[in-house]
């Protein structure tokens, strides 16, 4: 499991602020990609920038976000790559799996700044651990972490 914190005032507006702390994981994934294609589920993916930065277009990437505009932007930005984006509520992961829209397991699962927004984050977290094969990357903004 990877953990990194970003402070409340960072704003998550740049790729650098969204990917801060993931350099080591990126190196590990880059080495893994040399021998096999990696699969990734990114919940709360926004425009898919973190996933693209991590994998450079060389992954079976599935991005889910409830914000329809973010998904439209992601599809337009990455139309030349074989990424799959879904405009769905993250709480509906189980339903998406039943409709066979998702893979049964992923090498990497990303939950960046999304769990604190959910009504039942532990239910979703439990499902994410079931979907995850190798790396579960969770980021919760620092202002939600008890000190």
């Amino acid at each position: 499991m990877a953990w990194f914190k970003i402070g409340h005032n960072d704003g998550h507006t740049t790729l650098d602020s969204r990917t801060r702390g993931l350099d080591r994981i990126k190196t590990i994934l880059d080495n893994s990609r040399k021998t096999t294609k990696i699969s990734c589920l990114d919940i709360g993916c926004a425009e898919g920038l973190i996933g693209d930065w991590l994998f450079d277009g060389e992954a079976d990437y599935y991005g889910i976000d409830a914000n329809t505009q973010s998904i439209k932007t992601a599809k337009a930005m990455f139309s030349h790559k074989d990424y799959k984006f879904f405009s769905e509520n993250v709480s509906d992961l189980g339903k998406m799996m039943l409709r066979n829209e998702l893979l049964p397991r992923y090498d990497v699962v990303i939950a960046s700044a999304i769990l604190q927004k959910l009504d039942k984050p532990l239910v979703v977290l439990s499902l994410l651990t079931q979907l995850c094969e190798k790396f579960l990357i969770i980021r919760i903004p620092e202002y939600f972490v008890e000190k």
Side-chain angles (χ1 to χ4, degrees):
M1 181 181 299
W3 175 267
F4 64 106
K5 297 191 293 185
I6 293 180
H8 177 64
N9 295 325
D10 289 327
H12 317 294
T13 57
T14 66
L15 182 58
D16 184 53
S17 70
R18 292 181 187 192
T19 59
R20 187 174 306 136
L22 289 176
D23 295 12
R24 183 165 181 245
I25 291 288
K26 181 171 176 44
T27 301
I28 292 168
L29 294 173
D30 286 346
N31 289 332
S32 295
R33 281 197 339 252
K34 292 176 184 174
T35 58
T36 185
K37 191 164 189 177
I38 293 175
S39 60
C40 175
L41 175 64
D42 186 354
I43 67 162
C45 69
E47 300 86 12
L49 296 173
I50 293 174
D52 189 61
W53 177 82
L54 277 172
F55 302 108
D56 299 320
E58 297 179 24
D60 289 327
Y61 179 82
Y62 293 73
I64 301 171
D65 201 288
N67 185 314
T68 306
Q69 187 56 49
S70 291
I71 293 299
K72 285 180 184 176
T73 301
K75 287 179 177 180
M77 285 175 50
F78 299 114
S79 62
H80 60 290
K81 296 184 180 182
D82 193 26
Y83 295 164
K84 295 163 190 71
F85 291 102
F86 301 91
S87 180
E88 296 273 349
N89 188 313
V90 172
S91 299
D92 294 333
L93 276 176
K95 293 176 187 174
M96 292 180 73
M97 292 182 69
L98 290 174
R99 294 190 307 252
N100 292 321
E101 294 175 331
L102 302 176
L103 299 175
R105 306 242 334 145
Y106 294 86
D107 296 311
V108 179
V109 174
I110 302 170
S112 181
I114 186 70
L115 292 177
Q116 77 280 0
K117 298 176 184 177
L118 303 176
D119 291 332
K120 297 180 181 180
L122 295 180
V123 171
V124 173
L125 184 59
S126 176
L127 183 55
L128 295 180
T129 61
Q130 294 171 38
L131 290 169
C132 183
E133 190 72 34
K134 296 178 183 172
F135 295 100
L136 175 57
I137 301 170
I138 298 172
R139 193 201 58 141
I140 300 172
E142 192 172 301
Y143 54 96
F144 283 97
V145 178
E146 288 186 33
K147 297 187 184 210

